[in-house]
Every structure is written in structure tokens, then in C-alpha cells.
Amino acid sequence: MKKQYKIVIVITIVVIILVTAIKVFNVKQIILQKIYPKKYEEYVEKYAKEVNIDPLLIYSIIKAESNFKEKAKSSSGAQGLMQLMEATATEIANKIDEPLIEEESLFEPEKNILIGTTYYSELLKIFDENMILAVTAYNAGIGTVNQWIESGTIKKDGSDIENIPYKETNMYVRKIINNYKMYQYIYE
């Protein structure tokens, strides 16, 4: 009986020490920052500021698109951190006088973030600064989103994302929103 009492006391003390350490060292915050990192911060902050977009939203897109893997390549051919299609990237790069020398340059973090952030800013302009519709178009394409709006499948204000008919895009938009909320919770 005396031995069991000592074990209970030791376990209680260990638990108290662990709880105190977690609060003192803010382990929860450290873990969340590992799950939702701010990698490539110098590029994200710079280019997001240039086009007046919250950098936390760009981190959210990168996390969903490539999970910060700069050499990521999808089965559809999207490349790099922000998973850019070559044709879209070339069009945007030419508009901003930042031509792509070769396909491999989309794997360069700075160039990918510059072009991806610029592209997202263009989508925001097209969709009247509506973040949800711009994110939807980033995944499904401008024409597709316009078609859904015109047919009444989704609202022009983006308030009914549950009606997005493509399962992949529907889940993608939800993932971006969730990532963005988490980034705001952690870093603001």
C-alpha cells in the first residue's frame, strides 16, 4: 500500500511539472508553428505586400498546394510551391516582365511565389476582391467559376461554397479557409 501511494505521488508530481512546462514554454504554439510554418518568409512577405494581399493567405495557399515542397509537381503538371501550370505562369511572368527562362524555373521558390502571388492578386481583381471566389478560381479556373456563377450553381458573393460541384475544388477551398484561420490564430 505504501509503495502504491508513492507511485501515485510521483505520477501526480510529474503531471504537474509537465502541465507547468507546457504552459511556460508554450509547447502548443511551437507545435502549431511547425505544422503551419512561415517558410520562404522573405519572398512571401515581399510579394504579398507588393500586391496588397495578406501574407498569411499566401502561406495558406502554399501549404495546401505543396506543403512547402519546392520541387512539388502534380499529375496535371502544376509545379512548385504554389503549383502553377506552365501556361498560366508564362502568361503572368510575361505581364510582369519576369519571363520564364525554362520550365525548371517554376521550381525556384522566389519566382514561383512572385508569379503565384501575382496570379492570385489578378484573380482577386477579377472577382471583386472576393477571397473565396479567387481561391476557387485558383483551383478550378476563371472560366469554370464564371460558368458556375452564371448558372446559379454558386453565388457571386461566394457565400455558398458547399455548392461547388467539383469535389476536389470544394475540398480545396475548405482547406484554404481552414489553413488561413489557423495561420491567423497562430501568427496574429
Side-chain angles (χ1 to χ4, degrees):
M1 191 73 150
K2 204 173 193 182
K3 188 176 183 179
Q4 289 176 334
Y5 180 72
K6 285 181 179 180
I7 291 172
V8 169
I9 295 291
V10 168
I11 290 173
T12 304
I13 291 171
V14 167
V15 167
I16 290 171
I17 291 170
L18 282 174
V19 168
T20 304
I22 287 171
K23 288 186 179 198
V24 168
F25 297 111
N26 206 359
V27 172
K28 178 182 172 185
Q29 187 75 6
I30 293 167
I31 291 170
L32 285 174
Q33 287 176 352
K34 293 284 185 200
I35 296 169
Y36 295 90
K38 288 173 74 178
K39 294 181 180 179
Y40 309 102
E41 190 169 8
E42 66 275 20
Y43 307 133
V44 172
E45 299 289 331
K46 175 182 177 183
Y47 297 122
K49 184 178 180 181
E50 284 181 9
V51 292
N52 199 29
I53 295 175
D54 183 355
L56 299 178
L57 181 57
I58 301 302
Y59 291 118
S60 302
I61 292 170
I62 294 171
K63 177 155 181 62
E65 289 287 356
S66 67
N67 203 23
F68 296 92
K69 294 178 180 111
E70 62 187 68
K71 299 293 183 193
K73 187 169 185 174
S74 74
S75 58
S76 63
Q79 300 174 345
L81 292 168
M82 296 188 74
Q83 288 294 280
L84 300 167
M85 296 299 287
E86 189 176 0
T88 302
T90 300
E91 179 184 330
I92 299 299
N94 289 336
K95 281 183 185 178
I96 59 173
D97 289 328
E98 190 70 40
L100 297 174
I101 308 301
E102 54 191 48
E103 184 180 337
E104 290 298 307
S105 62
L106 282 178
F107 293 115
E108 296 169 15
E110 182 172 15
K111 189 162 286 223
N112 192 281
I113 292 168
L114 166 62
I115 294 169
T117 302
T118 303
Y119 177 55
Y120 182 74
S121 76
E122 286 196 5
L123 293 173
L124 278 173
K125 289 173 191 161
I126 290 168
F127 293 103
D128 299 322
E129 303 300 317
N130 185 302
M131 181 196 100
I132 302 295
L133 294 179
V135 165
T136 304
Y138 194 91
N139 182 265
I142 298 166
T144 302
V145 173
N146 281 330
Q147 181 184 0
W148 291 340
I149 292 169
E150 288 169 18
S151 69
T153 304
I154 62 173
K155 294 179 183 172
K156 191 174 183 164
D157 66 2
S159 64
D160 57 348
I161 62 167
E162 68 276 2
N163 293 332
I164 295 171
Y166 292 176
K167 184 178 180 180
E168 176 193 334
T169 301
N170 191 306
M171 296 305 292
Y172 173 83
V173 172
R174 292 169 190 271
K175 184 186 285 188
I176 299 291
I177 292 168
N178 182 58
N179 287 350
Y180 189 43
K181 286 179 181 176
M182 288 303 296
Y183 272 99
Q184 289 172 319
Y185 170 76
I186 297 164
Y187 294 102
E188 286 186 344

